[in-house]
Amino acid sequence: MKFSFRPTEGAFYDLFTKAAQNLVRGTELLNELALPDVDVQSVSDRLTDVEHDSDQITHDLYKKINSTFVTPFDREDIYSLGSQLDDVMDHLEAVGNLLYLYGLTALPSLPREMHELVHVLDQQAKLTAEAMPRLRTMKNLEEYWIEINRLENDGDRAYRMLLVRLFSGEYDALTVLKMKEVADELEAACDAFEHVANTVETITVKES
């Protein structure tokens, strides 16, 4: 029988779970951009609100690390996971903000590949939110990081096809520059989800 001298401090797991649930809220808001007659400013403003909430969760997590004598697993891993979850939210907020500020939703339609990237992010967010509570037991997590990696590959393919479309001559040069910046944030968000999953894998291997 394996014994552990680490506490089963629930607050850390609750904060990770809340942070991941905010990512689901973020991708759901980005999905609204595909709806007809969407209020883009409203989507952008609500993404900013969710991002502020995520910042507070991250702040609470750091305070908890500093005030806890013995943590459930390594402090640096707790810090890294919290920081990476926050990074994902930053990229999601940037997507909504840039689409609004650049006026890109005034186009007849956004590229299909952009919506495909948002769909990948939505799947990654839901998987991450489902996985965070399982950190308590460190069980049944392998499928999570394998699937996140597969989705990140899907995101890479969609990103490359989006670049092909942007440089095909379909759009004017200024619109290409604007959409390339949005595309880069979408791709960065996909990568950031993979960083979260890689950290979860590292934690699980250390604690098993």
Side-chain angles (χ1 to χ4, degrees):
M1 181 180 294
K2 181 180 177 181
F3 292 94
S4 174
F5 292 101
R6 294 190 183 276
T8 55
E9 172 58 74
F12 289 106
Y13 304 115
D14 292 342
L15 290 167
F16 289 140
T17 299
K18 287 178 183 177
Q21 288 169 345
N22 268 358
L23 300 181
V24 175
R25 291 169 62 194
T27 57
E28 286 174 346
L29 285 169
L30 289 182
N31 272 317
E32 289 187 23
L33 296 170
L35 301 175
D37 302 318
V38 61
D39 184 342
V40 185
Q41 182 176 0
S42 172
V43 171
S44 178
D45 289 345
R46 283 179 286 153
L47 272 167
T48 297
D49 289 341
V50 177
E51 195 275 333
H52 288 165
D53 188 35
S54 291
D55 281 345
Q56 184 59 53
I57 292 169
T58 306
H59 178 68
D60 291 343
L61 179 68
Y62 293 166
K63 281 175 57 180
K64 188 66 180 173
I65 294 171
N66 293 331
S67 64
T68 303
F69 182 64
V70 182
T71 55
F73 47 91
D74 288 349
R75 290 173 189 274
E76 59 266 31
D77 290 332
I78 294 174
Y79 181 90
S80 179
L81 183 55
S83 178
Q84 288 166 357
L85 288 164
D86 191 52
D87 287 346
V88 180
M89 192 66 241
D90 288 342
H91 292 304
L92 298 181
E93 183 202 17
V95 170
N97 288 173
L98 290 171
L99 285 170
Y100 169 62
L101 293 171
Y102 285 161
L104 289 172
T105 50
L107 295 170
S109 63
L110 291 172
R112 181 191 73 253
E113 295 84 1
M114 199 168 279
H115 293 301
E116 288 175 359
L117 273 164
V118 171
H119 178 64
V120 168
L121 290 171
D122 190 50
Q123 291 177 282
Q124 287 181 310
K126 288 172 180 173
L127 283 169
T128 303
E130 291 169 1
M132 288 302 108
R134 299 204 293 273
L135 279 171
R136 290 176 183 268
T137 61
M138 301 289 175
K139 294 179 180 177
N140 304 316
L141 283 163
E142 184 174 1
E143 288 185 6
Y144 151 69
W145 64 68
I146 290 173
E147 182 64 8
I148 288 290
N149 180 265
R150 187 193 68 77
L151 287 167
E152 194 273 335
N153 291 333
D154 287 349
D156 279 346
R157 283 190 287 272
Y159 173 72
R160 288 193 293 269
M161 294 309 298
L162 177 55
L163 293 185
V164 169
R165 185 167 183 178
L166 291 182
F167 294 110
S168 68
E170 181 177 346
Y171 303 97
D172 64 82
L174 184 56
T175 299
V176 169
L177 288 173
K178 291 175 179 178
M179 287 207 287
K180 171 66 163 57
E181 193 169 345
V182 175
D184 288 346
E185 289 292 347
L186 287 165
E187 198 260 346
C190 284
D191 287 345
F193 269 118
E194 186 177 38
H195 295 158
V196 170
N198 289 342
T199 297
V200 170
E201 181 179 7
T202 298
I203 293 167
T204 304
V205 170
K206 281 184 181 179
E207 297 298 316
S208 61

